[in-house]
Structures are given as C-alpha cells and as structure tokens.
C-alpha cells in the first residue's frame, strides 16, 4: 500500500482534537491491517497492537514501534481466538479502543475489471457472512469487510468506548450497492468528522478518485 505522508499529520491533528492530546496513552490502539506500520511508525503508544496478513511485512517493519505487539493475523478469515491475550483482555474488559486503519481497497472484479479490481480477492469468511446477511455487492470490497468485522467485534464484546479512524474511499457512504451495509454500519457507528482528498496525494496513486480520512464513534 502507498505511503500516507503527509496525511499522517492530518490524522494526528484530528485524533488529538477528537480524543485529547493524550489519546496514545489513554486508548488501546489496534491497526489490524498494519502492513509495514506506515500509520504508527513515528509515534509511541502505551498499548498498540499491529497485525498483518504477510509475515514478510512483520519482518520488514520489526524496527518500528518496538513497544507494539505485532503479529501475523488474517483479519477477514482467522478466529478471534488467535488474538494476543492482551488484546483479548482489552476487548473483554471493555477498554477504550481505537481501530486505526488503512485497509486494502480492492474490489472483486464483476464482469469488467478496473485498476482497483482483483479477481477473487473478496472470497473470505467475512464475505460469506455478509452475503448471507444480504449485503449484496457491498460485501465485495475489502475495506467494507474490515469495517463489518470491527462492527461485529463491537457487538460481540458489547464495547461502549470504541472508535474507528479510517483511511478509505468514500463510496461506502454514497454508493447504491452499499445501501444495506451502510444502514447496518451506521447503526453501530456514528460519523464524527472527516476530510476528503485526491488519491494522488498518496504516493504512486492515480488522481481520478478520492480518499477520505474519517473518524467514527461507537453508537
């Protein structure tokens, strides 16, 4: 995934405004699609959990955020039983938590491919559950799957102080194929604040589509 500079500065400013200057000490922070830790590498967190699908990314980023619990985990397929004990305890004890994520944006191809399409990428356990629940084409995008599983975690653990700080495209807020998903997600999370900018502000990305950074509060 592309480098987020200088938008990590935007995240810091928005997060401090919404959660307080001490949010990195006050909240459990979980990046469940951390890659090489682009989002967190320049800062120290009191309780940080970073997971990624690829073992190689853990090895590449091992010099960053040494205070973090970094682990290999397939967020869209693996059982929560595989989570580190500290993170499971944080969820079970309803600790204040922020899911701080830049999930993959790929959508499974549907007849015609585009630059964001990837055949078969959406075939996950979370996708199967979303299809059974009637989310339709809204289940085909990976970032929607990440948001859905976070919402299900909120439900499972009855979390009352959970937030999402999210880099993503904006289509899930307006696209007709996301209508059912949007109704579900907005029952679990309320929009707090956000900003939209050209995707080309990320390194090596085309400028014909938009990216948003948004903050969502549980409830």
């Amino acid at each position: 995934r592309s480098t987020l500079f200088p938008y990590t500065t935007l995240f810091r400013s928005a997060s401090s405004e919404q959660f307080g200057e001490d949010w990195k000490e006050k909240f459990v922070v979980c990046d469940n699609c951390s890659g090489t830790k682009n989002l967190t590498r320049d800062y120290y967190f009191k309780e940080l959990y970073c997971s990624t699908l690829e073992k190689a990314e853990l090895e590449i980023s091992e010099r960053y955020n040494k205070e973090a619990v970094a682990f290999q985990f397939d967020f869209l397929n693996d059982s929560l039983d595989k989570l580190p004990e500290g993170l499971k305890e944080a969820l079970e004890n309803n600790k204040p938590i922020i899911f701080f994520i830049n999930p993959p944006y790929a959508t499974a191809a549907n007849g015609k491919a585009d630059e964001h399409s990837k055949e078969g990428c959406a075939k996950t356990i979370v996708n199967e559950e979303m299809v059974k629940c009637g989310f339709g084409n809204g289940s085909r995008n990976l970032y929607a799957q990440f948001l859905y599983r976070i919402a299900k975690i909120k439900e499972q653990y009855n979390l009352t102080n959970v937030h999402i700080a999210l880099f993503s495209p904006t289509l899930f807020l307006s696209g007709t194929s996301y209508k059912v998903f949007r109704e579900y997600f907005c029952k679990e999370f309320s929009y707090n604040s956000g900003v939209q900018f050209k995707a080309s502000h990320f390194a090596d990305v085309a400028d014909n589509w938009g990216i948003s950074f948004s903050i969502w509060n549980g409830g």
Side-chain angles (χ1 to χ4, degrees):
R1 281 171 297 148
S2 303
T3 302
L4 294 175
F5 181 82
Y7 285 93
T8 50
T9 302
L10 171 67
F11 167 77
R12 295 197 307 273
S13 175
S15 299
S16 295
E17 179 181 339
Q18 300 300 326
F19 304 128
E21 293 292 337
D22 61 346
W23 67 271
K24 293 188 292 296
E25 293 77 36
K26 184 169 61 175
F27 287 88
V28 175
V29 178
C30 181
D31 182 357
N32 47 33
C33 42
S34 62
T36 54
K37 302 191 181 87
N38 281 338
L39 295 186
T40 58
R41 62 174 58 177
D42 295 326
Y43 310 99
Y44 175 84
F45 298 82
K46 181 179 180 181
E47 190 170 358
L48 173 64
Y49 297 91
C50 294
S51 66
T52 187
L53 179 62
E54 303 294 340
K55 182 179 179 182
E57 291 179 325
L58 291 178
E59 295 171 349
I60 291 170
S61 63
E62 62 184 2
R63 65 185 183 276
Y64 303 121
N65 292 116
K66 292 186 177 181
E67 79 280 8
V69 177
F71 58 104
Q72 189 175 4
F73 186 75
D74 185 344
F75 190 72
L76 302 180
N77 287 293
D78 282 346
S79 167
L80 297 182
D81 292 337
K82 295 183 179 181
L83 292 177
E85 288 303 317
L87 182 53
K88 286 193 286 188
E89 290 176 4
L91 295 170
E92 290 166 356
N93 293 323
N94 195 22
K95 286 187 176 181
I97 186 168
I98 298 174
F99 287 91
F100 174 25
I101 58 173
N102 176 34
Y105 307 152
T107 302
N110 186 19
K112 58 179 182 178
D114 61 29
E115 63 181 308
H116 315 302
S117 296
K118 188 174 181 181
E119 188 68 38
C121 70
K123 297 299 183 182
T124 66
I125 291 176
V126 170
N127 167 254
E128 293 175 0
E129 183 177 339
M130 292 178 72
V131 169
K132 290 178 182 177
C133 292
F135 290 107
N137 286 337
S139 65
R140 293 170 49 243
N141 193 287
L142 293 181
Y143 76 86
Q145 293 184 27
F146 271 82
L147 294 177
Y148 175 79
R149 191 163 203 200
I150 291 173
K152 297 303 290 184
I153 289 172
K154 172 182 175 290
E155 288 184 47
Q156 178 177 339
Y157 289 95
N158 296 311
L159 301 179
T160 59
N161 194 356
V162 57
H163 313 269
I164 301 174
L166 168 73
F167 286 95
S168 76
T170 59
L171 189 60
F172 81 106
L173 297 174
S174 59
T176 55
S177 63
Y178 290 90
K179 182 177 184 296
V180 178
F181 169 78
R182 186 164 52 245
E183 290 174 350
Y184 165 75
F185 183 73
C186 289
K187 288 178 181 177
E188 297 297 330
F189 288 91
S190 60
Y191 175 79
N192 183 314
S193 60
V195 64
Q196 183 175 350
F197 50 92
K198 281 187 175 182
S200 58
H201 287 288
F202 286 17
D204 304 319
V205 181
D207 66 356
N208 60 347
W209 55 295
I211 295 292
S212 66
F213 172 72
S214 56
I215 294 176
W216 299 79
N217 298 334

mmCIF file of all heavy atoms in Angstrom, residues 67-103:
data_model
loop_
_atom_site.group_PDB
_atom_site.id
_atom_site.type_symbol
_atom_site.label_atom_id
_atom_site.label_comp_id
_atom_site.label_asym_id
_atom_site.label_seq_id
_atom_site.Cartn_x
_atom_site.Cartn_y
_atom_site.Cartn_z
ATOM 1 N N GLU A 67 7.433 -1.085 20.888
ATOM 2 C CA GLU A 67 6.560 -1.242 22.053
ATOM 3 C C GLU A 67 5.301 -2.030 21.701
ATOM 4 O O GLU A 67 4.571 -2.469 22.595
ATOM 5 C CB GLU A 67 6.164 0.140 22.599
ATOM 6 C CG GLU A 67 5.045 0.866 21.850
ATOM 7 C CD GLU A 67 5.491 1.567 20.561
ATOM 8 O OE1 GLU A 67 6.662 1.375 20.158
ATOM 9 O OE2 GLU A 67 4.681 2.299 19.973
ATOM 10 N N ALA A 68 5.039 -2.212 20.406
ATOM 11 C CA ALA A 68 3.788 -2.838 19.969
ATOM 12 C C ALA A 68 3.849 -4.355 20.079
ATOM 13 O O ALA A 68 4.919 -4.963 20.039
ATOM 14 C CB ALA A 68 3.487 -2.446 18.527
ATOM 15 N N VAL A 69 2.679 -4.955 20.188
ATOM 16 C CA VAL A 69 2.535 -6.395 19.985
ATOM 17 C C VAL A 69 2.196 -6.568 18.508
ATOM 18 O O VAL A 69 1.097 -6.224 18.065
ATOM 19 C CB VAL A 69 1.425 -6.986 20.870
ATOM 20 C CG1 VAL A 69 1.247 -8.474 20.570
ATOM 21 C CG2 VAL A 69 1.734 -6.759 22.337
ATOM 22 N N ALA A 70 3.176 -7.037 17.735
ATOM 23 C CA ALA A 70 2.999 -7.210 16.296
ATOM 24 C C ALA A 70 2.852 -8.701 15.994
ATOM 25 O O ALA A 70 3.645 -9.516 16.470
ATOM 26 C CB ALA A 70 4.185 -6.616 15.542
ATOM 27 N N PHE A 71 1.847 -9.046 15.189
ATOM 28 C CA PHE A 71 1.577 -10.461 14.977
ATOM 29 C C PHE A 71 0.931 -10.681 13.613
ATOM 30 O O PHE A 71 0.283 -9.789 13.050
ATOM 31 C CB PHE A 71 0.682 -11.021 16.088
ATOM 32 C CG PHE A 71 -0.647 -10.317 16.245
ATOM 33 C CD1 PHE A 71 -1.820 -10.897 15.772
ATOM 34 C CD2 PHE A 71 -0.727 -9.089 16.886
ATOM 35 C CE1 PHE A 71 -3.043 -10.261 15.929
ATOM 36 C CE2 PHE A 71 -1.947 -8.438 17.048
ATOM 37 C CZ PHE A 71 -3.107 -9.027 16.567
ATOM 38 N N GLN A 72 1.107 -11.874 13.084
ATOM 39 C CA GLN A 72 0.503 -12.250 11.815
ATOM 40 C C GLN A 72 -0.928 -12.719 12.064
ATOM 41 O O GLN A 72 -1.180 -13.578 12.904
ATOM 42 C CB GLN A 72 1.322 -13.359 11.149
ATOM 43 C CG GLN A 72 0.891 -13.678 9.720
ATOM 44 C CD GLN A 72 1.812 -14.710 9.070
ATOM 45 O OE1 GLN A 72 2.731 -15.236 9.716
ATOM 46 N NE2 GLN A 72 1.583 -15.006 7.805
ATOM 47 N N PHE A 73 -1.864 -12.126 11.326
ATOM 48 C CA PHE A 73 -3.274 -12.430 11.567
ATOM 49 C C PHE A 73 -4.071 -12.072 10.319
ATOM 50 O O PHE A 73 -3.911 -10.988 9.753
ATOM 51 C CB PHE A 73 -3.785 -11.625 12.765
ATOM 52 C CG PHE A 73 -5.193 -11.954 13.194
ATOM 53 C CD1 PHE A 73 -5.462 -13.131 13.876
ATOM 54 C CD2 PHE A 73 -6.243 -11.081 12.937
ATOM 55 C CE1 PHE A 73 -6.755 -13.436 14.280
ATOM 56 C CE2 PHE A 73 -7.533 -11.373 13.337
ATOM 57 C CZ PHE A 73 -7.797 -12.560 14.015
ATOM 58 N N ASP A 74 -4.921 -12.976 9.885
ATOM 59 C CA ASP A 74 -5.795 -12.737 8.744
ATOM 60 C C ASP A 74 -7.133 -12.238 9.285
ATOM 61 O O ASP A 74 -7.992 -13.029 9.677
ATOM 62 C CB ASP A 74 -5.969 -14.034 7.942
ATOM 63 C CG ASP A 74 -6.767 -13.837 6.662
ATOM 64 O OD1 ASP A 74 -7.446 -12.794 6.536
ATOM 65 O OD2 ASP A 74 -6.726 -14.728 5.800
ATOM 66 N N PHE A 75 -7.323 -10.929 9.294
ATOM 67 C CA PHE A 75 -8.479 -10.331 9.961
ATOM 68 C C PHE A 75 -9.797 -10.741 9.332
ATOM 69 O O PHE A 75 -10.841 -10.725 9.994
ATOM 70 C CB PHE A 75 -8.335 -8.809 9.950
ATOM 71 C CG PHE A 75 -9.331 -8.091 10.820
ATOM 72 C CD1 PHE A 75 -9.216 -8.134 12.200
ATOM 73 C CD2 PHE A 75 -10.385 -7.382 10.260
ATOM 74 C CE1 PHE A 75 -10.144 -7.479 13.020
ATOM 75 C CE2 PHE A 75 -11.307 -6.727 11.062
ATOM 76 C CZ PHE A 75 -11.185 -6.770 12.439
ATOM 77 N N LEU A 76 -9.791 -11.114 8.066
ATOM 78 C CA LEU A 76 -11.029 -11.453 7.376
ATOM 79 C C LEU A 76 -11.319 -12.946 7.375
ATOM 80 O O LEU A 76 -12.362 -13.366 6.871
ATOM 81 C CB LEU A 76 -10.996 -10.925 5.940
ATOM 82 C CG LEU A 76 -10.799 -9.415 5.801
ATOM 83 C CD1 LEU A 76 -10.794 -9.017 4.338
ATOM 84 C CD2 LEU A 76 -11.860 -8.633 6.570
ATOM 85 N N ASN A 77 -10.419 -13.741 7.945
ATOM 86 C CA ASN A 77 -10.612 -15.192 7.951
ATOM 87 C C ASN A 77 -10.339 -15.853 9.296
ATOM 88 O O ASN A 77 -11.008 -16.822 9.648
ATOM 89 C CB ASN A 77 -9.719 -15.850 6.894
ATOM 90 C CG ASN A 77 -10.197 -15.606 5.471
ATOM 91 O OD1 ASN A 77 -11.251 -16.083 5.062
ATOM 92 N ND2 ASN A 77 -9.422 -14.831 4.717
ATOM 93 N N ASP A 78 -9.373 -15.360 10.044
ATOM 94 C CA ASP A 78 -8.950 -16.040 11.261
ATOM 95 C C ASP A 78 -9.951 -15.866 12.404
ATOM 96 O O ASP A 78 -10.661 -14.861 12.494
ATOM 97 C CB ASP A 78 -7.581 -15.511 11.717
ATOM 98 C CG ASP A 78 -6.444 -16.093 10.894
ATOM 99 O OD1 ASP A 78 -6.675 -17.081 10.175
ATOM 100 O OD2 ASP A 78 -5.318 -15.559 10.975
ATOM 101 N N SER A 79 -9.940 -16.853 13.302
ATOM 102 C CA SER A 79 -10.752 -16.776 14.512
ATOM 103 C C SER A 79 -10.153 -15.771 15.492
ATOM 104 O O SER A 79 -8.935 -15.620 15.586
ATOM 105 C CB SER A 79 -10.819 -18.153 15.170
ATOM 106 O OG SER A 79 -11.325 -18.067 16.482
ATOM 107 N N LEU A 80 -11.012 -15.096 16.247
ATOM 108 C CA LEU A 80 -10.533 -14.160 17.268
ATOM 109 C C LEU A 80 -9.784 -14.879 18.380
ATOM 110 O O LEU A 80 -9.083 -14.240 19.167
ATOM 111 C CB LEU A 80 -11.706 -13.368 17.848
ATOM 112 C CG LEU A 80 -12.462 -12.457 16.870
ATOM 113 C CD1 LEU A 80 -13.565 -11.703 17.615
ATOM 114 C CD2 LEU A 80 -11.533 -11.484 16.170
ATOM 115 N N ASP A 81 -9.917 -16.184 18.451
ATOM 116 C CA ASP A 81 -9.159 -16.955 19.434
ATOM 117 C C ASP A 81 -7.661 -16.825 19.210
ATOM 118 O O ASP A 81 -6.866 -17.076 20.122
ATOM 119 C CB ASP A 81 -9.556 -18.430 19.370
ATOM 120 C CG ASP A 81 -10.977 -18.669 19.839
ATOM 121 O OD1 ASP A 81 -11.500 -17.826 20.598
ATOM 122 O OD2 ASP A 81 -11.572 -19.697 19.444
ATOM 123 N N LYS A 82 -7.252 -16.437 17.998
ATOM 124 C CA LYS A 82 -5.837 -16.298 17.674
ATOM 125 C C LYS A 82 -5.254 -14.943 18.084
ATOM 126 O O LYS A 82 -4.067 -14.724 17.926
ATOM 127 C CB LYS A 82 -5.622 -16.506 16.174
ATOM 128 C CG LYS A 82 -5.937 -17.911 15.674
ATOM 129 C CD LYS A 82 -5.619 -18.041 14.187
ATOM 130 C CE LYS A 82 -5.898 -19.452 13.686
ATOM 131 N NZ LYS A 82 -5.571 -19.584 12.233
ATOM 132 N N LEU A 83 -6.102 -14.051 18.599
ATOM 133 C CA LEU A 83 -5.613 -12.741 19.025
ATOM 134 C C LEU A 83 -4.683 -12.883 20.231
ATOM 135 O O LEU A 83 -4.842 -13.800 21.047
ATOM 136 C CB LEU A 83 -6.776 -11.833 19.399
ATOM 137 C CG LEU A 83 -7.700 -11.375 18.269
ATOM 138 C CD1 LEU A 83 -8.840 -10.548 18.844
ATOM 139 C CD2 LEU A 83 -6.939 -10.593 17.209
ATOM 140 N N PRO A 84 -3.721 -11.985 20.393
ATOM 141 C CA PRO A 84 -2.876 -11.993 21.591
ATOM 142 C C PRO A 84 -3.713 -11.845 22.853
ATOM 143 O O PRO A 84 -4.770 -11.206 22.834
ATOM 144 C CB PRO A 84 -1.962 -10.776 21.386
ATOM 145 C CG PRO A 84 -2.003 -10.486 19.926
ATOM 146 C CD PRO A 84 -3.357 -10.900 19.459
ATOM 147 N N GLU A 85 -3.243 -12.421 23.939
ATOM 148 C CA GLU A 85 -4.008 -12.395 25.185
ATOM 149 C C GLU A 85 -4.298 -10.978 25.649
ATOM 150 O O GLU A 85 -5.392 -10.689 26.146
ATOM 151 C CB GLU A 85 -3.248 -13.166 26.272
ATOM 152 C CG GLU A 85 -3.247 -14.672 26.064
ATOM 153 C CD GLU A 85 -4.653 -15.244 25.990
ATOM 154 O OE1 GLU A 85 -5.509 -14.836 26.809
ATOM 155 O OE2 GLU A 85 -4.905 -16.096 25.117
ATOM 156 N N GLY A 86 -3.333 -10.084 25.478
ATOM 157 C CA GLY A 86 -3.537 -8.704 25.908
ATOM 158 C C GLY A 86 -4.670 -8.023 25.186
ATOM 159 O O GLY A 86 -5.472 -7.293 25.791
ATOM 160 N N LEU A 87 -4.784 -8.260 23.888
ATOM 161 C CA LEU A 87 -5.863 -7.658 23.110
ATOM 162 C C LEU A 87 -7.201 -8.303 23.455
ATOM 163 O O LEU A 87 -8.228 -7.612 23.566
ATOM 164 C CB LEU A 87 -5.569 -7.793 21.613
ATOM 165 C CG LEU A 87 -6.596 -7.171 20.663
ATOM 166 C CD1 LEU A 87 -6.862 -5.714 21.000
ATOM 167 C CD2 LEU A 87 -6.124 -7.306 19.212
ATOM 168 N N LYS A 88 -7.217 -9.597 23.657
ATOM 169 C CA LYS A 88 -8.457 -10.255 24.068
ATOM 170 C C LYS A 88 -8.930 -9.716 25.413
ATOM 171 O O LYS A 88 -10.125 -9.467 25.614
ATOM 172 C CB LYS A 88 -8.259 -11.773 24.124
ATOM 173 C CG LYS A 88 -8.198 -12.427 22.751
ATOM 174 C CD LYS A 88 -8.318 -13.935 22.810
ATOM 175 C CE LYS A 88 -7.078 -14.590 23.314
ATOM 176 N NZ LYS A 88 -7.114 -16.078 23.196
ATOM 177 N N GLU A 89 -7.998 -9.507 26.334
ATOM 178 C CA GLU A 89 -8.363 -8.969 27.639
ATOM 179 C C GLU A 89 -8.892 -7.542 27.515
ATOM 180 O O GLU A 89 -9.830 -7.156 28.222
ATOM 181 C CB GLU A 89 -7.152 -9.009 28.567
ATOM 182 C CG GLU A 89 -6.755 -10.422 28.992
ATOM 183 C CD GLU A 89 -5.496 -10.431 29.840
ATOM 184 O OE1 GLU A 89 -4.978 -9.328 30.150
ATOM 185 O OE2 GLU A 89 -5.021 -11.531 30.176
ATOM 186 N N ALA A 90 -8.286 -6.748 26.617
ATOM 187 C CA ALA A 90 -8.757 -5.380 26.409
ATOM 188 C C ALA A 90 -10.195 -5.374 25.910
ATOM 189 O O ALA A 90 -11.020 -4.572 26.356
ATOM 190 C CB ALA A 90 -7.847 -4.664 25.417
ATOM 191 N N LEU A 91 -10.515 -6.289 24.997
ATOM 192 C CA LEU A 91 -11.879 -6.384 24.482
ATOM 193 C C LEU A 91 -12.834 -6.888 25.553
ATOM 194 O O LEU A 91 -13.933 -6.344 25.733
ATOM 195 C CB LEU A 91 -11.912 -7.310 23.272
ATOM 196 C CG LEU A 91 -11.142 -6.833 22.024
ATOM 197 C CD1 LEU A 91 -11.062 -7.944 20.989
ATOM 198 C CD2 LEU A 91 -11.781 -5.588 21.425
ATOM 199 N N GLU A 92 -12.420 -7.906 26.277
ATOM 200 C CA GLU A 92 -13.290 -8.481 27.312
ATOM 201 C C GLU A 92 -13.560 -7.499 28.447
ATOM 202 O O GLU A 92 -14.634 -7.515 29.054
ATOM 203 C CB GLU A 92 -12.642 -9.756 27.858
ATOM 204 C CG GLU A 92 -12.631 -10.905 26.854
ATOM 205 C CD GLU A 92 -11.708 -12.033 27.265
ATOM 206 O OE1 GLU A 92 -11.021 -11.884 28.302
ATOM 207 O OE2 GLU A 92 -11.667 -13.048 26.550
ATOM 208 N N ASN A 93 -12.582 -6.620 28.716
ATOM 209 C CA ASN A 93 -12.718 -5.648 29.805
ATOM 210 C C ASN A 93 -13.234 -4.292 29.325
ATOM 211 O O ASN A 93 -13.269 -3.332 30.110
ATOM 212 C CB ASN A 93 -11.372 -5.469 30.508
ATOM 213 C CG ASN A 93 -10.932 -6.726 31.238
ATOM 214 O OD1 ASN A 93 -11.755 -7.440 31.806
ATOM 215 N ND2 ASN A 93 -9.636 -7.010 31.220
ATOM 216 N N ASN A 94 -13.630 -4.215 28.051
ATOM 217 C CA ASN A 94 -14.229 -3.002 27.504
ATOM 218 C C ASN A 94 -13.326 -1.784 27.689
ATOM 219 O O ASN A 94 -13.785 -0.687 28.030
ATOM 220 C CB ASN A 94 -15.599 -2.748 28.149
ATOM 221 C CG ASN A 94 -16.427 -1.735 27.378
ATOM 222 O OD1 ASN A 94 -16.217 -1.509 26.193
ATOM 223 N ND2 ASN A 94 -17.363 -1.101 28.070
ATOM 224 N N LYS A 95 -12.043 -1.964 27.430
ATOM 225 C CA LYS A 95 -11.128 -0.831 27.488
ATOM 226 C C LYS A 95 -11.412 0.121 26.327
ATOM 227 O O LYS A 95 -11.854 -0.316 25.253
ATOM 228 C CB LYS A 95 -9.675 -1.313 27.405
ATOM 229 C CG LYS A 95 -9.135 -1.971 28.650
ATOM 230 C CD LYS A 95 -7.634 -2.246 28.485
ATOM 231 C CE LYS A 95 -7.021 -2.810 29.739
ATOM 232 N NZ LYS A 95 -5.553 -3.049 29.587
ATOM 233 N N PRO A 96 -11.151 1.423 26.493
ATOM 234 C CA PRO A 96 -11.287 2.360 25.369
ATOM 235 C C PRO A 96 -10.350 1.941 24.237
ATOM 236 O O PRO A 96 -9.154 1.709 24.472
ATOM 237 C CB PRO A 96 -10.875 3.706 25.965
ATOM 238 C CG PRO A 96 -11.030 3.543 27.450
ATOM 239 C CD PRO A 96 -10.735 2.104 27.740
ATOM 240 N N ILE A 97 -10.865 1.839 23.025
ATOM 241 C CA ILE A 97 -10.067 1.311 21.932
ATOM 242 C C ILE A 97 -10.324 2.086 20.643
ATOM 243 O O ILE A 97 -11.460 2.501 20.368
ATOM 244 C CB ILE A 97 -10.348 -0.197 21.727
ATOM 245 C CG1 ILE A 97 -9.409 -0.794 20.673
ATOM 246 C CG2 ILE A 97 -11.801 -0.448 21.364
ATOM 247 C CD1 ILE A 97 -9.437 -2.320 20.633
ATOM 248 N N ILE A 98 -9.271 2.307 19.883
ATOM 249 C CA ILE A 98 -9.356 2.925 18.561
ATOM 250 C C ILE A 98 -8.809 1.944 17.540
ATOM 251 O O ILE A 98 -7.670 1.490 17.653
ATOM 252 C CB ILE A 98 -8.556 4.241 18.486
ATOM 253 C CG1 ILE A 98 -9.102 5.273 19.464
ATOM 254 C CG2 ILE A 98 -8.593 4.796 17.053
ATOM 255 C CD1 ILE A 98 -8.259 6.548 19.537
ATOM 256 N N PHE A 99 -9.618 1.607 16.550
ATOM 257 C CA PHE A 99 -9.131 0.863 15.398
ATOM 258 C C PHE A 99 -8.632 1.898 14.387
ATOM 259 O O PHE A 99 -9.414 2.658 13.813
ATOM 260 C CB PHE A 99 -10.251 0.010 14.792
ATOM 261 C CG PHE A 99 -10.606 -1.187 15.620
ATOM 262 C CD1 PHE A 99 -11.607 -1.118 16.579
ATOM 263 C CD2 PHE A 99 -9.925 -2.392 15.458
ATOM 264 C CE1 PHE A 99 -11.936 -2.228 17.352
ATOM 265 C CE2 PHE A 99 -10.249 -3.503 16.225
ATOM 266 C CZ PHE A 99 -11.247 -3.420 17.176
ATOM 267 N N PHE A 100 -7.333 1.942 14.216
ATOM 268 C CA PHE A 100 -6.654 2.945 13.396
ATOM 269 C C PHE A 100 -6.164 2.234 12.145
ATOM 270 O O PHE A 100 -5.190 1.486 12.195
ATOM 271 C CB PHE A 100 -5.505 3.525 14.226
ATOM 272 C CG PHE A 100 -4.586 4.472 13.523
ATOM 273 C CD1 PHE A 100 -5.001 5.196 12.415
ATOM 274 C CD2 PHE A 100 -3.299 4.665 14.002
ATOM 275 C CE1 PHE A 100 -4.145 6.073 11.791
ATOM 276 C CE2 PHE A 100 -2.435 5.537 13.382
ATOM 277 C CZ PHE A 100 -2.852 6.251 12.280
ATOM 278 N N ILE A 101 -6.846 2.437 11.002
ATOM 279 C CA ILE A 101 -6.604 1.528 9.878
ATOM 280 C C ILE A 101 -6.581 2.226 8.518
ATOM 281 O O ILE A 101 -7.270 3.224 8.292
ATOM 282 C CB ILE A 101 -7.663 0.402 9.832
ATOM 283 C CG1 ILE A 101 -9.081 0.956 9.718
ATOM 284 C CG2 ILE A 101 -7.546 -0.492 11.055
ATOM 285 C CD1 ILE A 101 -10.146 -0.119 9.503
ATOM 286 N N ASN A 102 -5.784 1.669 7.644
ATOM 287 C CA ASN A 102 -5.783 1.971 6.216
ATOM 288 C C ASN A 102 -5.939 0.630 5.495
ATOM 289 O O ASN A 102 -4.971 0.062 4.999
ATOM 290 C CB ASN A 102 -4.484 2.660 5.813
ATOM 291 C CG ASN A 102 -4.403 2.910 4.315
ATOM 292 O OD1 ASN A 102 -5.399 3.178 3.660
ATOM 293 N ND2 ASN A 102 -3.195 2.786 3.774
ATOM 294 N N PRO A 103 -7.167 0.102 5.446
ATOM 295 C CA PRO A 103 -7.369 -1.245 4.900
ATOM 296 C C PRO A 103 -7.176 -1.278 3.388
ATOM 297 O O PRO A 103 -7.219 -0.232 2.725
ATOM 298 C CB PRO A 103 -8.825 -1.561 5.268
ATOM 299 C CG PRO A 103 -9.461 -0.219 5.354
ATOM 300 C CD PRO A 103 -8.426 0.715 5.887
#
